Amino acid sequence: MRRAAQLLGQALQASAASPSTSLGSCNGQAIIGASARQHVHHAHVGVHRAMSLLSLGRDLFTAPARKGYVQSWEDVEGNAETIEPFSLVAEEVSIVGERLRNSVLSSVPALRQAAEYFFRSGVEGKRLRPTLALLMASAFSSEAPSRDYLKVDLSPASEHAPELRRRQQRLAEISETIHVASLLHDDVIDDATMRRGITALNCTVGNKVAILAGDFLLARASVSLAALENTTVVKLMSNVLENLVAGEIMQMTASQEQLLDMDFYLQKTYCKTASLMANSAKSIAVLAGEGDAVCAVAEGYGRHLGLAFQIVDDVLDFTSSSAILGKPSLNDIKSGLATAPLLFAVQEQPALRPLIMRKFKSDGDLATAVSLLSQSQGIARAKELAAHHAAMAADLIRALPEAQSVHAAICRAALIKITQKVLTRSK
């Protein structure tokens, strides 16, 4: 109980210290807490357990969908370790996806084709964000939702949903829409050629249409957001949009010293990746009518999980193949970016410093950087940092007040299980 109270207090402090998200003020200390170096040197007790899973080396983001909402521990073989988080809400995520596909329809053929490009069956991606949103919604529920909520909601985006679960489904939809819009914009900025194993949209329809398609998705998300009729949630999700822009600008305008700074990297990572997870999770709690302490825990869970997710993504950029990732490997370093593995490696290999500062633009820089990284503990230390954040996310879920139902308890166990899956994914 004392540990739970400490974590709740820390979550409230972090929430209160969160920046206004004005451009350039994504305060790393407020967002992340202790510095990255402290995170690694004073690793959380849960790190070693989480790290033991890293050797599995397989993709754990897919599982067969179960029918209906989980009602009892017998539904998951009576064991928290046997829970497959994605299968628990796969049916509900599917109906959210169907609503998404209907919501991006446009009377302009080119815009319709572009907007639905990554919502088609088979190329939806991991669907991590709607899964997190719906599991978080269930984590606060007093009972399993009615099966009526597993029917596709085809009401207009501008129409307010009176039922709590429908509003939380809308939030899951909004989160995924914002995520896909950011991918469309990122691919233009990065001159990407592949995404989710298929040709990037900008290579299919051109940069202008791809940018406008992303804008269209953000506009649709804004309509759905307004229909929730909750000003707190509107503010939270608006912060996400501001952070996405801030993170991209931070990346584009970083000074040479900032390119080498781990805290700057984590600030940017929060803005570009973790902010969406953090604010979506908190929005779910707000919609559920939870108090400030519980809302802060939800936000902290999303924040730490988002950081862990992106750090692992940056590791996979060096250790996985393009065929597995569904996008080019070594993409970050080819774009001139030094991520966590290299930022740890440069502490052991000073020869990396000038390469990072010139963004790997000279002949032979890429090969030299990869070679120096392989001679360091950069990859291992980045994995440790990801494991630390994953463990923090898991502990925040454990610190929540007692679950109101068996359904809620199972979904909380699933949220904890996701913190492990984030570390063991292969793409």
Side-chain angles (χ1 to χ4, degrees), residues 6-7 32 47 73 80 98 169 181-182 191 198 200 213 215 260 271-272 313 319 329 351 354 357 359 372 382 401:
Q6 289 175 340
L7 285 168
I32 300 157
V47 169
W73 283 104
E98 184 60 32
Q169 288 177 353
S182 73
D191 291 323
I198 62 175
D215 293 345
L260 291 156
C271 288
K272 294 193 65 175
D313 206 63
T319 62
S329 59
M357 293 176 71
K359 298 185 177 182
L372 290 171

Side-chain angles (χ1 to χ4, degrees), residues 265-327:
Y265 159 80
L266 289 172
Q267 293 167 29
K268 179 190 69 176
T269 298
Y270 171 81
C271 288
K272 294 193 65 175
T273 302
S275 174
L276 178 56
M277 295 188 190
N279 285 291
S280 295
K282 185 174 184 178
S283 294
I284 288 289
V286 169
L287 289 173
E290 298 293 337
D292 289 346
V294 170
C295 289
V297 166
E299 180 184 22
Y301 172 84
R303 178 173 65 248
H304 286 292
L305 186 74
L307 291 172
F309 181 90
Q310 187 57 51
I311 294 166
V312 170
D313 206 63
D314 293 340
V315 168
L316 291 174
D317 194 48
F318 287 103
T319 62
S320 193
S321 67
S322 299
I324 293 174
L325 291 174
K327 58 184 178 180

Side-chain angles (χ1 to χ4, degrees), residues 29 75-76 80 88 107 111 132 144 149 217 262 264 269 274-275 286 296 342 351 356 388:
Q29 297 298 342
D75 291 340
V76 290
L88 291 187
S107 59
L111 186 55
L132 289 174
Y149 297 121
L217 292 180
M262 178 65 78
F264 182 84
T269 298
S275 174
V286 169
L342 284 174
I356 294 172
H388 170 80

Side-chain angles (χ1 to χ4, degrees), residues 1 34 175 292 394:
M1 290 297 293
S175 180
D292 289 346

